[in-house]
Amino acid sequence: MTSVYRTKDGGRIQRGKPLRFTFDGRALQGVEGDTLASALLANGIHLVGRSFKYHRPRGILSAGADEPNALVGVRRDAARYTPNLRATQVELYDGLEAESQNRWPSLALDTGALNGLISPFIPAGFYYKTFMWPRKAWDSLYEPFIRAAAGLGRAPTQADPDRYLNRYAHCDVLIAGAGPAGLSAALTAARSGARVILCDEQSEFGGSLLAETSATIEGLPAQVWLQEAIAELAGNPRVVLLPRTTAFGYFAHNLIGLNQRVTDHLAVPSAEQPRERLWQVRAKEVILCAGALERPLVFPGNDRPGILLADSARTYLNRYGVRPGKRVVIITAHDGAYRAALDLHAAGVEIAAIADVRATADGPAPQAARQAGLPIRLRTTITGTRGGLRVEGVSLAAMDGGPSQSVACDAVLMSGGFTPSVHLFSQSRGKLDWDPAAQSFVPGRSAERERSAGASRGLFGLAEVLADGAAAGADAVAAAGLTPPAPRRLEASGIDLGTDGFLGALPGAGAPGAKAFVDWQNDVTAKDLLLATREGFRSIEHIKRYTTTGMATDQGKTSNMNALGVVSEALGTPIPAVGLTTFRMPYTPVTFGSLAATSRGVLFDPVRTTPIHDWAAAQGAVFEDVGLWKRARYFPRGGEDMDAAVARECLAVRSGVGVFDATTLGKIEVVGPDAAKFMNRLYVNAWTKLAPGRSRYGVLLRDDGFIFDDGVVGRVAEDRFHVTTTTGGAPRVLAMMEDYLQTEWPDLNVWLTSTTEQWAVIAVQGPQARQVLEGLVEGIDLSAEALPHMSLTEGKICGVPTRLFRMSFTGELGFEVNVPTSHGRAVWEAIWAAGQPHGMVAYGTETMHVLRAEKGYIIVGQETDGTVTPDDAGLSWAIGRTKADYVGKRSLAREAMNAPDRKQLVGLYTQNPSVVIEEGSQVVADARQQIPMRPIGHVSSSYMSATLGRSIALALVSGGRARMGQTLFVPTADGEVAVTVTSPVFYDQEGVRVNA
């Protein structure tokens, strides 16, 4: 199948390898090397979609990531459908199925286009005014309508079956962009011995060189030099080349996010390969070579299908062998469009007219166009276009007015100059400077270890771009601590775009009835921007939100600069004073799958189980989720409900013995000569005098003085501490420790190791705990004299090495047996067997909660809410009074932290012992208050205590310790519950049982 739009030769495509594809069900043919956009153009198809607001016909505008119109859905099979892909970035493969979006019932006949008839009634910002009245109509009328109308593509309905992986990498130099500047920088860095990562979003390296036919570098055709440069880099083992990889985000400390598309271009992807790979690269130095984006021009009717950017048309011709039309009109404010005109003319395309809005055009390209006999009209603009689903002609007129002339054509090419792509630089928090000559913002002061090179900082001559890339590569290598090669300037000819251009709207763009679009996807016209300024908006950020310009999926790549120009002229304010919209990541959309990687399905919220989990399940345990862990909540027998099971388990522990799986506790090994000094600085407690073999309850604060975590800490040796944390607190405590160790106290000789997964922990609690264990341990004396409360020892149990703590979270005689997790189940079963003659029960977290509440022991996150100090929780005794400093100490000295009306932990007895208060209930001093009441505290824990035969509760109450014996009230749905304030320790206040 041949097409009048496909050239007979040239380009980088493989004409001998045809590929079949469909668009909206229509069978078409392209060739290997095509994008979907180039293949559609080769088939004479410009109409590819409909705009968001007015559903106007939209055609292919660009050839790259800046495309605002050609958004399509691509389907591989029923489960593999991806909406909103840019046809300009979709590589063609055999069997590709694509469909247009945002139209019904068809692309050519879309009923949504009726919105255009009412466009005078829905100007910019109409929704801010219209949807305010009537007030009650939002939920019933406006919101459902807006949600139904919103969106472009349709969301997939089936789960994504593909795999996505993550990879972390480090390098000396990361280079984003593999055009001439990026390649020159990469060659320089690689020749210095640096570890280099070079990425580019396109399928091939080369950037602008891929569309060059006449440029030379070092006496070689640009295409030959390109092949040799890539071959040299590919042969260097210290260089990683990543085509089809977008640098989408620049994060702090030179962390760059890369999205690599691994298999989307393949007709039959390998099941062994992921679809995409997310790279997180930490680079010593970064070079941004992102190139520049061509600016469109704003004139009436500039949105018809068949109107393209001039340099994109040149790319389609020289890289893909596709003519954008047969008879073309070009409108330009830049010499670059003349290069497109010359190349198209040489390819047999009729150039009907070149309308140059400038007064003069004397550069080499315009001169060559004159010599070729191309019709050039200076100081001329387009005042209108005509055509339905594709442009059929334009009206040309002088810039200063006068009669217009109609010119027939089937394509219009436009060029308003080039804008450096500063998105990644801006993301890095670098400061942009305004370049009045280039009429654009360029990189200024860097905030990271970064430099920009080439067109991304406003350089457009091939020789100077290559030199700038080499200089950036040498600078990066030197900054990374390596020796750069001697500087060498590459000789080059061709590609000198200059810095001319036009910003804003051309004459007639704001005339009545004219639709001159600034943002193609969101249907924002020059008149919309002018309306926003008339209504009082001055900041471009406010205007952006009011009109939605620059808020489409292209993030303003084609619209932002022209919007600035229109607003600047309307306000009579220089562009730098108008401001600049924020460039946010991602640079182009990234799939959710790539960001989620393996965190999906059962791995989205991984389930962690202990070695005793299967045993507990076999015993009929009811489980609950605690963080990522599955924990046995209670062990019902004979049809018991939770209350009955918990009551039985509590009484069994208090009267005999119980066994509890405490494996989920966080465990961190703090080791080193300065371990005690480190712990002393971190925790409120004193640690330097704690003897090996002893342990202590530790409290950890944040900088603001509030409780962050707690747990028992045992000193195993002079230089080693076994630190336990709450089940959910292990990661954040370790992160806090590492943060302080690496940033505040790097002089300390300390190592931190997470050992949560290393130890299975079996808590044996109750008056008969010693009798259960004494026949199982080897080399360990369990007597009260040898192993008192809050001590630890090491030895063996059941022949397995153990780290044995004598400690209790129940208030009873207790031991915590730590054994390697691989032996956890076996040791548990041995303890269980030894405990049966003593009536041992297995108990779960619900029973543990009741037992600890009876003793007034807090749970971080339940008795604390991020605003509780140690004194509030009754833990002042834990603070080392003679310590010079610890995390949070200065905050505790603030006056407000010692105010007498702070909420303090107290116990509550309901005056009706059978009433159990709901946790989270508010506490008030006077039940007769009018609603809204003024609460003085809240209930943090509340249970029915089988041991005490009544309900108990813990609460945080303003000035609580001074209210002992007072009657307070807890409002409930059934009326106020009277409570008496008491000590938070309800059971064995003298601690006789724990020291048995």
Side-chain angles (χ1 to χ4, degrees), residues 41 46 60-61 294-297 299 306-317 323-325 327-333 336-345 349-351 353-356 382 391 394 409-416:
L41 291 175
H46 281 259
I60 297 165
L61 182 73
E294 191 169 22
R295 283 198 296 267
L297 289 169
F299 56 85
I307 301 179
L308 295 81
L309 295 170
D311 199 61
S312 295
R314 185 169 179 268
T315 295
Y316 284 119
L317 177 69
R323 305 179 184 93
R327 179 178 167 86
V328 171
V329 169
I330 296 174
I331 178 169
T332 184
Y338 288 90
R339 297 194 309 147
L342 288 165
D343 288 353
L344 289 167
H345 173 68
V349 176
E350 181 183 355
I351 307 300
I354 300 176
D356 197 323
I382 293 179
V391 66
V394 301
C409 62
D410 62 354
V412 176
L413 312 183
M414 56 183 170
S415 177

Side-chain angles (χ1 to χ4, degrees), residues 367-613:
Q367 292 290 0
R370 290 189 181 94
Q371 293 174 7
L374 302 185
I376 300 173
R377 307 185 187 190
L378 298 177
R379 293 293 296 164
T380 301
T381 185
I382 293 179
T383 58
T385 64
R386 65 178 185 274
L389 301 180
R390 180 170 176 176
V391 66
E392 296 174 357
V394 301
S395 297
L396 300 179
M399 285 284 287
D400 52 3
S404 62
Q405 178 187 358
S406 179
V407 179
C409 62
D410 62 354
V412 176
L413 312 183
M414 56 183 170
S415 177
F418 287 84
T419 300
S421 181
V422 296
H423 300 70
L424 288 171
F425 177 83
S426 183
Q427 289 177 18
S428 75
R429 299 171 293 112
K431 180 176 175 55
L432 294 169
D433 294 334
W434 175 250
D435 184 345
Q439 288 284 285
S440 61
F441 286 97
V442 295
R445 186 179 69 250
S446 295
E448 296 281 353
R449 296 177 61 124
E450 167 279 334
R451 70 276 303 140
S452 297
S456 66
R457 74 181 193 98
L459 303 178
F460 298 108
L462 180 57
E464 65 178 344
V465 164
L466 290 167
D468 197 48
D475 181 63
V477 165
L482 301 171
T483 303
R488 184 168 65 93
R489 183 176 179 86
L490 295 176
E491 297 297 327
S493 66
I495 317 181
D496 191 349
L497 301 181
T499 57
D500 259 356
F502 187 89
L503 203 60
L506 291 170
K515 280 194 178 342
F517 287 89
V518 176
D519 187 307
W520 274 254
Q521 199 177 110
N522 278 353
D523 281 329
V524 181
T525 65
K527 288 195 295 184
D528 291 327
L529 297 169
L530 296 175
L531 174 63
T533 62
R534 289 200 304 273
E535 296 196 355
F537 292 95
R538 295 294 180 266
S539 165
I540 194 62
E541 287 283 13
H542 295 157
I543 293 171
K544 170 183 176 179
R545 283 153 182 79
Y546 190 66
T547 63
T548 71
T549 187
M551 294 179 67
T553 60
D554 70 331
Q555 294 197 46
K557 292 181 177 67
T558 55
S559 61
N560 279 352
M561 292 308 299
N562 279 328
L564 278 174
V566 172
V567 172
S568 172
E569 184 177 357
L571 297 177
T573 303
I575 284 178
V578 174
L580 180 68
T581 55
T582 303
F583 295 107
R584 295 184 174 90
M585 59 192 74
Y587 175 72
T588 52
V590 177
T591 60
F592 288 119
S594 184
L595 298 176
T598 55
S599 298
R600 52 191 296 192
V602 295
L603 296 180
F604 175 73
D605 193 12
V607 175
R608 301 176 74 180
T609 59
T610 72
I612 294 92
H613 178 86

